[in-house]
Amino acid sequence: MNMNKITPSSDADVLKRAKRREQKKRDIRRFFRVMFSRKIVVVGAAGTLFFVLVAIFAPLIATHDPNYIQNGKNLLDPSAQFLFGTDMYGRDLFSRIVYGTRVSLLTGVLSTLLATLIGTFLGMLAAYLGGVVDMVLMRICEMMRAIPQLVISMTLIAAFGGSMMSMVIILCFGGIWNSLRMMRASALSVMSNDYVLAAKLSGEPMLKILYKHILPNSVSPIIVSASQSVGFTILMESGLSFLGVGIKVPTASWGSIINEARVYLITNPLYALIPCACLAVLIISLNLLGDGIRDALDPTLRGES
Amino acid sequence: MSNLVETKNLVTTFPYDGKKRIRAVDGVSLNLKQGEIVGLVGESGSGKSVTVMSILQLILPPGKISGEVNIEGIKGNILDYGMFSDEVRSTRGGKIGMIFQEPMTSLNPILTVGYQIQENIMTHLGLKESEAKQKAIEMMKRVGIANAEQRFEQYPMQFSGGMRQRIMIAMVLAAKPDVLIADEATTALDVTTQAQILELIRDLAKKENVTVVIVTHNLGLIARYADRIYVMYSGHIVESGEKFEMFERPAHPYTRGLLNAVPRLDDDKTRRLVPIEGLPPNPANMPPYCKFFDRCLYREDRCKERMCELEPISENHFVRCCLSVEELDKKRDQIEGQFKSAPVKTISGEVCLEVRDLKMHFPVYRGIMKKHVGDVHAVDGVSFKVYTGETLGIVGESGCGKSTLAKCIMRATKPTAGEIIYKGTDMALLKDRALKPFRSKITMIFQDPFSSLDPRQTAGSIVGEPLKINKITKTREEYNDRVDELFRLVGLDPEYRSRLPREFSGGQRQRLGIARALASSPDVIICDEPVSALDVSIQAQIINLLEELQAKLQITYLFIAHDLSVVKHISDRIIVMYLGTVVEESPAELLYSNPQHPYTKALLSAVPISDPKVDAQRERIKLIGEIPSVMARSAGCPFCERCQYASERCRTEKPKLKDCGNGQLVACFLYD
Ligand SMILES: Nc1ncnc2c1ncn2[C@@H]1O[C@H](COP(=O)(O)OP(=O)(O)O)[C@@H](O)[C@H]1O
Ligand code: SF4
Ligand code: SF4
Ligand SMILES: [Mg+2]
């Protein structure tokens, strides 16, 4: 009990802080151990990492300018010069797919991130404030759920045009509602705990309660769902591009490449197959990784026990 | 008399942390005789439930049972038959029936209660459907369910907690068991309902010569209803014997400790509870000697030499202790001489908090159109005064508006009408901003020590939070000093500041909650059921702490609880609430010795005193029926439907609180 009068910088304090850091390290290690406890998650992580690296180092990996048209060299078969051959305009397919990774990943991750941030905030507000705010937000959620996301997105694209940034915003708009509803439910259950009431009663301002007490205790299902919806968003973007209403040409996007290639499916099957395969592998990898994150954050959600 | 059920050296283990196994039940030998009521008492985790579940072989793998269980009429050890054998199945629910704490989980919510009783009768007695139905209705009548024919068709949801427990009893008794086990069957119920249910069980058992096992942590219940008692601690039976003998001459230090730790209705003002310090040993780390050693006030070095056995000290009285009764008794005087009396506090004449005609009504909507169909009058015109340094107890059954009242005073909700005057300012209708200075002066301690602390904040930052919000400490050093001081004030080591709540026990968590409530140096602390989630030995620690803090810091408490003994012990004055109104206000001693209102009398009589001699001499007042639904309020006295003195006037006119001298106020026409 003589340790009571320690000043903040005494030895004991340093020791304590070191201990906490140690604990934190251990927690992180445990997180990853659980996350990768299933081998298949490692495969997913490797696949994801591969595409992330490709996206980052696209300029180094690409052999050509993805938008440079080689006159007269359209629809060539794979060769040493054009690894995957060339497309209908004579652009190098390999380079286009490499740059397409950037577009797909970036739109997918950015829009999911944005949607989750906004959805989380609105969901917390709905749960915390209740009443009219809650009612209005929930009505909007129901409305959004009643209209297929594709229809909403296509309408918005007609209004905003198809730059990558507007694509991100449009996809994000579709994703907000799911995380809003999840966050609201999660926050409501956290709010039934007395510690939230205690914070309210000690006069803590609303934003601080949201940030300090409600968010940390309710965010894990949101992270899980966000990690699992990145793949879906990428698919959505590709789908829109495939329909020709996605990201504007000439920017390489997997969806738009598949769109162009569909005419040549019989004559040049690789033209369509390669971007399709990339898309499939990326999405499966992302979903597997998402499963791993879910296992680590919330073991109760895991299918088998 | 022969034994109906007998266990010998029953051991039940569960895997723990990989290879190790913990012994939840560690060599329990007990026997049940025809027609007796046996109490199995101990704190939570002591192995009571596992013991009875092992007898019924309800322990699922990886749990393992060994030892011997003999049941009359079945040859040999029933554990040898395997849990799915016909013998075991005919025992379970047939020979031995069981009622659990939460009747909602034992009744299927999508089947009518009648069907479920009928079904049970058909399986166990082999009756035809029509006969079984007759029998089921008869059983429902026997357990006191009015309109049994109509209620036969209703679903569990449509019954109150007490009624569901009656249904369970009907269902279990319908199969004509020899033994009825009630595992904390009334713990979740109000005292008056609890008394009704246990009296029902006792009467039925005596009439039909059924053996009853009452499993509980409540010594009072045992004192009132059991004939013979087993006391469990950490998987061992530490003492057993006939009720009067055990309460008169408790032998084992643990039993003695329990009796010193529980508050009693007939306590006098100066009695101080003696908590059993410390916690039961971690089941993974059991000492090879007496498991009570660490907490025992009587321990000696030789206790560590061996594990002693349950040995007789008289014909029907067994104790598991290395010291003989004479040695223990000799030590007792020395030990009990050191018990302190309650700290002396000073109550000033200054009114600290006054509530005037406070009302809180919640609108009730029904249907898709959300039509406003009425109001729930949760708090309906409550007035009282609290003086600085005083403890005002508020008691009443669940749903009577205690917590709503607390929330209004805390201004967690805005009351519908009335005044809450704190040191001259009415804060009933103040806006958030204007409330802020009051927030630090009136704070709260919560019931559930688990949900009241943010699991992701360190203990230090939980306790220090109010300091930061109210900018009470200027510098970091000052802040650290104050947090350390608060930790020490509630008896926690400041070293624990960086721990997370999950690293504390229930009692320690409640201490953290108290430290947080103290942080902003409040004048008033509202304690809403602060000890009802804790075990009796820990309960005493917290009650003592609250009393010490009050004497030291001159804090005013509003102490809300449903446990009358606890409220009576800690309070100076008590108000009794019924359906949102105050029916009686009285100094604490007078409430027990001279209750006025018919409801108060019934409430007091439902609370057993943990001394069977004293308890047997008390006047019993039975309360008829249950609390009426919140929507159906009579225009007259709220208690008139259950009051045996109700007159015409009571049904039409509402009685007002009237002073009947000596500080007691009563709302009843009998005293007009
Ligand atoms: N299924 C189980 N698996 C592991 N441990 C268990 C299980 N059931 C009970 N226990 C342990 O057995 C001990 C006794 O529990 P219990 O009989 O429920 O106590 P009581 O009924 O006296 O409160 C406790 O330490 C508890 O954690
Ligand atoms: S054996 Fe010793 S430590 Fe155990 S209860 Fe008896 S006196 Fe206490
Ligand atoms: S007023 Fe009438 S009904 Fe109410 S408690 Fe008194 S006697 Fe009973
Ligand atoms: Mg139990």
Side-chain angles (χ1 to χ4, degrees):
Chain A
M1 290 298 265
N2 277 337
M3 307 280 276
N4 295 335
K5 280 285 166 214
I6 42 172
T7 50
S9 55
S10 74
D11 287 354
D13 216 52
V14 171
L15 206 73
K16 229 183 288 170
R17 244 180 276 152
K19 239 192 235 162
R20 292 211 65 193
R21 226 175 304 136
E22 185 66 21
Q23 176 66 34
K24 209 162 234 161
K25 256 191 227 157
R26 236 179 300 144
D27 282 349
I28 291 171
R29 240 177 287 144
R30 171 148 35 95
F31 179 90
F32 283 109
R33 205 184 54 233
V34 179
M35 179 167 162
F36 292 120
S37 62
R38 288 194 289 174
K39 288 286 155 308
I40 194 80
V41 176
V42 182
V43 176
T48 309
L49 185 69
F50 171 76
F51 282 107
V52 169
L53 290 178
V54 169
I56 292 172
F57 298 109
L60 301 178
I61 297 169
T63 47
H64 296 76
D65 176 346
N67 294 328
Y68 181 72
I69 299 176
Q70 320 261 351
N71 269 328
K73 292 187 180 162
N74 42 1
L75 294 174
L76 290 186
D77 281 333
S79 63
Q81 193 190 354
F82 305 110
L83 286 173
F84 291 167
T86 57
D87 72 355
M88 60 194 282
Y89 300 112
R91 295 173 295 198
D92 177 40
L93 194 55
F94 177 73
S95 306
R96 281 187 73 71
I97 284 178
V98 167
Y99 274 92
T101 315
R102 261 192 179 182
V103 179
S104 289
L105 265 180
L106 216 58
T107 41
V109 171
L110 271 186
S111 63
T112 310
L113 209 64
L114 212 60
T116 308
L117 285 179
I118 297 173
T120 303
F121 183 69
L122 291 180
M124 283 199 298
L125 275 189
Y128 191 87
L129 295 175
V132 184
V133 179
D134 185 33
M135 205 182 71
V136 169
L137 283 171
M138 288 324 281
R139 284 300 99 78
I140 298 178
C141 273
E142 277 160 31
M143 250 163 54
M144 287 301 157
R145 227 166 28 144
I147 312 169
Q149 200 184 332
L150 204 65
V151 175
I152 301 173
S153 305
M154 284 169 74
T155 319
L156 285 175
I157 287 172
F160 291 109
S163 77
M164 202 173 114
M165 228 35 238
S166 66
M167 194 68 188
V168 166
I169 290 165
I170 287 157
L171 287 173
C172 151
F173 186 77
I176 289 174
W177 316 108
N178 190 30
S179 49
L180 194 165
R181 264 184 310 118
M182 281 187 68
M183 188 62 197
R184 175 179 174 274
S186 186
L188 275 179
S189 82
V190 170
M191 275 176 50
S192 69
N193 285 311
D194 284 338
Y195 58 81
V196 178
L197 181 61
K200 260 190 224 178
L201 291 183
S202 54
E204 196 141 31
M206 176 184 94
L207 281 179
K208 190 134 183 240
I209 295 180
L210 291 184
Y211 156 77
K212 193 170 162 191
H213 298 293
I214 298 182
L215 186 66
N217 286 299
S218 58
V219 79
S220 43
I222 307 299
I223 296 177
V224 170
S225 111
S227 71
Q228 289 176 326
S229 67
V230 173
F232 174 79
T233 314
I234 292 177
L235 202 63
M236 194 74 201
E237 177 270 317
S238 302
L240 287 171
S241 300
F242 176 75
L243 292 175
V245 292
I247 293 174
K248 266 203 310 274
V249 285
T251 317
S253 143
W254 290 349
S256 49
I257 300 175
I258 301 169
N259 180 26
E260 294 159 3
R262 70 180 199 279
V263 190
Y264 309 99
L265 207 55
I266 309 295
T267 48
N268 289 48
L270 280 184
Y271 187 1
L273 273 180
I274 292 171
C276 279
C278 288
L279 193 60
V281 172
L282 175 61
I283 287 164
I284 292 171
S285 303
L286 280 169
N287 283 347
L288 289 176
L289 189 68
D291 286 355
I293 292 176
R294 179 201 58 198
D295 290 352
L297 276 180
D298 193 351
T300 53
L301 288 178
R302 193 167 175 171
E304 80 277 31
S305 88
Chain B
M1 227 186 307
S2 71
N3 291 333
L4 268 184
V5 177
E6 186 179 26
T7 72
K8 282 188 196 139
N9 201 16
L10 187 71
V11 175
T12 308
T13 61
F14 294 101
Y16 179 87
D17 215 10
K19 287 193 198 86
K20 260 200 206 152
R21 292 186 78 86
I22 57 164
R23 291 173 157 234
V25 173
D26 193 2
V28 164
S29 304
L30 48 78
N31 56 63
L32 309 175
K33 295 189 178 64
Q34 179 113 44
E36 66 174 351
I37 300 182
V38 171
L40 187 56
V41 65
E43 292 175 85
S44 64
S46 59
K48 309 180 297 289
S49 299
V50 177
T51 303
V52 294
M53 281 165 72
S54 305
I55 294 175
L56 292 178
Q57 298 195 42
L58 286 170
I59 302 288
L60 298 176
K64 268 197 204 125
I65 317 171
S66 61
E68 210 177 304
V69 177
N70 297 311
I71 291 174
E72 196 199 37
I74 295 171
K75 239 174 63 193
N77 182 358
I78 188 140
L79 295 181
D80 296 337
Y81 286 89
M83 63 194 295
F84 300 111
S85 63
D86 288 342
E87 283 81 0
V88 172
R89 271 191 298 137
S90 76
T91 309
R92 214 187 280 148
K95 250 184 160 44
I96 305 180
M98 190 155 173
I99 324 173
F100 297 94
Q101 173 165 356
E102 188 29 79
M104 205 51 209
T105 51
S106 0
L107 287 170
N108 185 337
I110 60 162
L111 297 174
T112 64
V113 296
Y115 179 82
Q116 294 183 58
I117 303 176
Q118 181 186 330
E119 186 80 332
N120 207 41
I121 294 174
M122 282 157 66
T123 18
H124 287 287
L125 297 184
L127 294 184
K128 279 207 299 291
E129 194 177 322
S130 58
E131 284 171 342
K133 180 166 178 180
Q134 274 313 310
K135 179 99 183 135
I137 291 175
E138 187 199 317
M139 284 311 303
M140 285 173 69
K141 284 184 183 153
R142 285 254 294 283
V143 296
I145 290 172
N147 303 331
E149 282 87 358
Q150 282 115 53
R151 304 214 78 175
F152 187 88
E153 304 292 342
Q154 289 183 340
Y155 293 89
M157 278 300 290
Q158 291 162 285
F159 289 80
S160 69
M163 281 294 162
R164 284 199 288 254
Q165 210 55 290
R166 282 170 195 267
I167 300 283
M168 276 309 297
I169 295 171
M171 197 153 141
V172 171
L173 287 185
K176 292 205 168 302
D178 296 332
V179 182
L180 172 69
I181 299 177
D183 186 356
E184 305 273 10
T186 57
T187 304
L189 305 174
D190 276 317
V191 275
T192 55
T193 321
Q194 173 170 332
Q196 284 175 354
I197 299 284
L198 284 168
E199 252 137 54
L200 173 75
I201 292 180
R202 182 176 61 186
D203 295 345
L204 289 175
K206 290 293 174 208
K207 218 184 291 168
E208 323 217 339
N209 210 12
V210 174
T211 306
V212 177
V213 181
I214 299 176
V215 179
T216 181
H217 64 276
N218 186 333
L219 279 171
L221 286 189
I222 297 277
R224 182 175 282 188
Y225 298 103
D227 303 323
R228 207 154 55 83
I229 301 169
Y230 288 99
V231 181
M232 279 196 84
Y233 186 77
S234 276
H236 276 160
I237 287 177
V238 293
E239 182 163 6
S240 79
E242 189 268 334
K243 166 172 76 180
F244 289 101
E245 159 94 12
M246 286 258 300
F247 277 98
E248 226 160 278
R249 284 182 292 278
H252 195 278
Y254 178 61
T255 319
R256 295 172 192 243
L258 279 181
L259 287 171
N260 284 330
V262 288
R264 283 169 46 164
L265 269 185
D266 55 346
D267 281 349
D268 61 39
K269 200 79 207 106
T270 52
R271 178 174 168 216
R272 186 184 154 95
L273 305 178
V274 186
I276 303 175
E277 297 298 341
L279 294 171
N282 181 347
N285 241 331
M286 283 292 179
Y289 43 89
C290 177
K291 296 187 186 184
F292 190 55
F293 186 85
D294 284 346
R295 306 172 77 188
C296 183
L297 293 173
Y298 295 79
R299 68 181 167 215
E300 284 183 4
D301 286 341
R302 66 184 151 122
C303 301
K304 274 185 139 173
E305 284 161 16
R306 66 188 177 102
M307 176 79 91
C308 35
E309 293 299 320
L310 199 60
E311 272 157 36
I313 57 166
S314 67
E315 192 191 345
N316 276 319
H317 194 170
F318 297 80
V319 181
R320 189 174 200 140
C321 178
C322 298
L323 275 60
S324 70
V325 179
E326 291 73 44
E327 287 171 306
L328 288 170
D329 283 344
K330 207 184 290 158
K331 271 195 140 175
R332 181 192 56 201
D333 299 333
Q334 178 198 338
I335 286 168
E336 294 191 350
Q338 291 168 3
F339 291 169
K340 285 175 272 179
S341 64
V344 185
K345 57 182 172 187
T346 44
I347 302 172
S348 81
E350 177 203 7
V351 174
C352 181
L353 182 75
E354 181 174 0
V355 169
R356 277 194 208 143
D357 205 20
L358 194 70
K359 289 190 176 132
M360 182 75 220
H361 297 176
F362 298 105
V364 178
Y365 303 100
R366 208 160 276 161
I368 329 172
M369 296 311 290
K370 299 272 167 73
K371 214 176 89 196
H372 183 196
V373 291
D375 290 305
V376 173
H377 297 209
V379 174
D380 205 13
V382 168
S383 309
F384 59 80
K385 283 183 188 149
V386 202
Y387 299 93
T388 303
E390 182 190 38
T391 302
L392 178 71
I394 302 176
V395 281
E397 295 173 274
S398 64
C400 73
K402 302 184 299 282
S403 289
T404 312
L405 178 63
K407 289 217 169 97
C408 286
I409 299 172
M410 285 302 301
R411 281 304 317 276
T413 49
K414 194 162 134 194
T416 313
E419 292 165 61
I420 303 165
I421 302 160
Y422 169 72
K423 300 219 162 142
T425 320
D426 177 11
M427 42 178 253
L429 302 170
L430 291 184
K431 291 257 163 30
D432 267 353
R433 192 172 304 243
L435 270 175
K436 192 149 187 209
F438 296 99
R439 294 257 184 244
S440 62
K441 288 293 147 201
I442 305 180
T443 61
M444 186 156 181
I445 301 169
F446 297 87
Q447 169 173 9
D448 181 358
F450 287 87
S451 92
S452 61
L453 305 178
D454 188 337
R456 288 177 198 257
Q457 302 283 320
T458 60
S461 85
I462 288 172
V463 171
E465 193 168 43
L467 298 176
K468 285 189 180 152
I469 295 169
N470 298 302
K471 306 199 174 58
I472 291 170
T473 48
K474 303 286 176 302
T475 62
R476 176 136 194 108
E477 237 136 277
E478 213 182 313
Y479 171 84
N480 279 324
D481 285 348
R482 176 74 179 144
V483 173
D484 284 352
E485 186 192 335
L486 286 165
F487 267 68
R488 260 172 274 132
L489 209 50
V490 298
L492 288 173
D493 190 343
E495 280 286 294
Y496 293 170
R497 272 180 61 171
S498 56
R499 291 200 185 175
L500 291 173
R502 62 160 184 266
E503 297 170 70
F504 293 91
S505 71
Q508 287 177 321
R509 285 164 146 262
Q510 205 55 307
R511 286 174 195 265
L512 283 177
I514 295 173
R516 170 175 62 193
L518 287 173
S520 53
S521 313
D523 291 328
V524 183
I525 299 185
I526 298 179
C527 316
D528 191 358
E529 302 269 8
V531 296
S532 57
L534 306 172
D535 265 316
V536 279
S537 64
I538 315 293
Q539 206 172 17
Q541 297 174 7
I542 299 297
I543 292 174
N544 282 355
L545 174 64
L546 287 172
E547 286 183 332
E548 274 160 27
L549 289 171
Q550 182 169 48
K552 207 186 288 177
L553 307 170
Q554 267 248 326
I555 307 171
T556 308
Y557 289 136
L558 273 184
F559 193 94
I560 299 173
H562 67 273
D563 187 336
L564 225 86
S565 317
V566 172
V567 174
K568 156 80 179 27
H569 179 91
I570 199 170
S571 307
D572 301 301
R573 273 185 312 132
I574 295 176
I575 61 179
V576 181
M577 281 183 76
Y578 188 75
L579 293 183
T581 59
V582 176
V583 296
E584 179 159 0
E585 179 184 323
S586 161
E589 278 91 70
L590 281 180
L591 191 77
Y592 171 69
S593 59
N594 185 24
Q596 304 287 322
H597 196 278
Y599 176 66
T600 314
K601 289 182 185 167
L603 197 61
L604 281 164
S605 134
V607 180
I609 292 182
S610 45
D611 183 338
K613 279 242 169 95
V614 178
D615 196 56
Q617 282 161 10
R618 292 168 67 209
E619 185 193 2
R620 283 300 159 75
I621 298 154
K622 278 194 186 145
L623 198 51
I624 33 175
E626 299 200 326
I627 293 192
S629 124
V630 279
M631 295 294 293
R633 289 291 158 87
S634 86
C637 171
F639 189 54
C640 69
E641 281 155 56
R642 304 172 78 187
C643 179
Q644 49 183 326
Y645 310 107
S647 64
E648 208 32 61
R649 185 179 176 202
C650 303
R651 286 181 223 288
T652 48
E653 200 184 326
K654 209 168 193 158
K656 291 207 173 62
L657 267 186
K658 284 216 175 69
D659 201 333
C660 47
N662 57 30
Q664 269 177 305
L665 303 172
V666 186
C668 174
F669 291 129
L670 293 178
Y671 300 93
D672 253 3

